[in-house]
């Protein structure tokens, strides 16, 4: 019996929830998914604000987030070389969160490739970018590392390098806030997770997920604390940059995840996509 390939791809420009000083489930912008048969899916959104201050019922509320536009495009194809490819691109322009964090554009880009005879997909994140990120009006330099996940573009390739190369293992544990760190090198919001990851001898997998990031670090003159890809911003909250959830046959990339803490509370996702796919039987 011939094998059947089932495609899987999804993306969203902006989504999340606000819990204080008002409660609102954000109507996700440019959210779409790919049919299991492959093909093409796209969604777009124009200017959007949360809350909508044009609504009289929202008068006096703080404007939590605004965007100029959002776009998600996904394709699933069987190409002439016999490779099943899933391409996911999710982007947001004109991002403004509470007037504190801004960016001209945020782009998540994923490519999943299933080659004949290979048991797991090769997944790339090249092309994922954040343009003109600023915190409190000051530029923030973001150090991306596409090469790491392009060179080790399968789960087993990454795991084997981690298990067999002590230097690589130590570097990666520190880089992704998994272990080998001093107490002041771990943000308070990740203390509980760190207590789990530092004890793991191999990849810190839980429920099939290994948390990574395509960002090595960030720097700027504004008054935030940097913990690799995590920015802790006073009187604002926490910004996670380039989060990559690695699974054996899938990746989920979220370019910006906000955990707002004070005076506004909530969780925001900006430019996120997921890709995998599999054959059966």
């Amino acid at each position: 019996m011939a094998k059947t390939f089932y495609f899987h791809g999804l993306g969203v420009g902006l989504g999340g929830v606000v819990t204080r000083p008002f409660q609102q489930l954000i109507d996700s912008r440019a959210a779409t998914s790919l049919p299991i048969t492959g093909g093409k899916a796209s969604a777009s959104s124009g200017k959007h604000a949360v809350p909508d201050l044009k609504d009289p019922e929202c008068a006096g509320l703080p404007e939590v987030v605004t965007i100029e536009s959002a776009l998600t495009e996904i394709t699933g194809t069987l190409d002439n070389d016999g490779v099943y490819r899933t391409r996911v691109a999710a982007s947001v322009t004109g991002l403004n969160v509470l007037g504190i964090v801004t960016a001209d554009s945020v782009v998540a880009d994923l490519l999943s490739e299933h080659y004949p005879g290979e048991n797991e997909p090769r997944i790339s994140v090249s092309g994922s970018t954040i343009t003109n990120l600023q915190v409190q009006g000051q530029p923030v330099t973001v150090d991306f590392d596409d090469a790491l996940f392009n060179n080790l573009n399968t789960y087993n390739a990454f795991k084997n390098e981690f298990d067999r190369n002590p230097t690589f293992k130590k570097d990666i544990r520190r880089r992704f806030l998994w272990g080998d760190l001093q107490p002041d090198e771990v943000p308070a919001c990740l203390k509980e997770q760190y207590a789990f990851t530092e004890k793991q001898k191999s990849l810190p997998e839980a429920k099939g997920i290994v948390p990574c990031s395509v960002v090595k670090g960030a720097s700027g003159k504004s008054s935030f604390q940097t913990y690799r890809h995590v920015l802790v911003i006073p009187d604002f909250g926490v910004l996670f940059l380039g989060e990559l959830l690695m699974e054996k046959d899938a990746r989920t990339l979220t370019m910006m995840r906000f955990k707002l803490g004070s005076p506004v509370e909530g969780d925001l996702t900006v430019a996120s996509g997921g890709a995998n796919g599999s054959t059966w039987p």
Side-chain angles (χ1 to χ4, degrees):
M1 180 174 64
K3 291 184 177 181
T4 299
F5 188 86
Y6 294 102
F7 286 92
H8 180 77
L10 55 88
V12 61
L14 171 71
V17 58
V18 181
T19 55
R20 194 182 71 173
F22 61 93
Q23 295 186 351
Q24 180 175 339
L25 299 176
I26 298 173
D27 185 12
S28 294
R29 303 285 96 185
T32 190
S33 61
L34 188 68
I36 61 173
T37 53
K40 181 179 181 180
S42 63
S44 62
S45 172
K47 190 170 184 178
H48 186 67
V50 178
D52 182 0
L53 297 183
K54 295 179 181 178
D55 185 341
E57 294 184 0
C58 296
L61 295 178
E63 193 168 59
V64 177
V65 56
T66 63
I67 62 171
E68 289 299 320
S69 67
L71 174 65
T72 298
E73 296 180 309
I74 309 173
T75 60
T77 59
L78 171 58
D79 295 334
N80 292 333
D81 57 1
V83 179
Y84 290 95
R85 290 186 172 90
T86 303
R87 299 173 174 86
V88 178
S91 62
V92 166
T93 65
L95 175 70
N96 187 318
V97 180
L98 290 170
I100 294 177
V101 175
T102 62
D104 288 351
S105 69
V106 186
V107 179
D109 210 330
L110 284 167
L111 170 63
S112 173
E113 299 178 300
H114 285 254
Y115 280 79
E118 295 187 359
N119 294 324
E120 57 181 332
R122 309 178 191 181
I123 302 179
S124 167
V125 294
S126 290
S128 302
T129 61
I130 301 174
T131 303
N132 193 26
L133 175 63
Q134 296 191 12
V135 174
Q136 296 170 328
Q138 297 295 321
V140 176
T141 300
V142 181
D143 186 8
F144 287 92
D145 187 5
D146 292 348
L148 173 64
F149 296 101
N150 290 340
N151 294 335
L152 302 173
N153 59 5
T154 68
Y155 183 93
N156 280 327
F158 193 100
K159 184 179 185 301
N160 290 339
E161 184 69 12
F162 186 84
D163 290 340
R164 298 173 182 175
N165 185 336
T167 301
F168 178 81
K169 181 175 184 176
K170 184 173 183 178
D171 177 65
I172 289 300
R173 279 171 57 85
R174 291 180 56 82
R175 177 166 156 184
F176 295 144
L177 306 175
W178 292 347
D180 300 321
L181 298 169
Q182 298 299 315
D184 62 354
E185 294 182 287
V186 182
C189 61
L190 294 181
K191 292 289 187 182
E192 186 174 346
Q193 292 182 28
Y194 184 78
F196 167 76
T197 59
E198 70 169 340
K199 298 175 183 178
Q200 307 308 304
K201 295 181 179 180
S202 187
L203 295 180
E205 177 272 329
K207 299 180 176 62
I209 295 173
V210 178
C212 307
S213 176
V214 299
V215 170
K216 294 177 67 174
S219 60
K221 295 182 179 180
S222 184
S223 58
F224 59 81
Q225 293 176 290
T226 305
Y227 302 88
R228 308 305 194 269
H229 62 286
V230 181
L231 306 185
V232 178
I233 306 169
D235 302 317
F236 177 83
V238 183
L239 169 57
F240 300 85
L241 296 172
E243 279 191 323
L244 184 68
L245 303 182
M246 183 166 58
E247 302 174 64
K248 288 186 177 180
D249 295 313
R251 305 289 185 275
T252 301
L253 175 62
T254 302
M255 292 305 292
M256 299 176 76
R257 178 169 70 89
F258 294 85
K259 192 167 188 62
L260 303 176
S262 178
V264 174
E265 289 186 359
D267 296 275
L268 303 176
T269 292
V270 178
S272 182
N276 63 350
S278 60
T279 56
W280 188 92

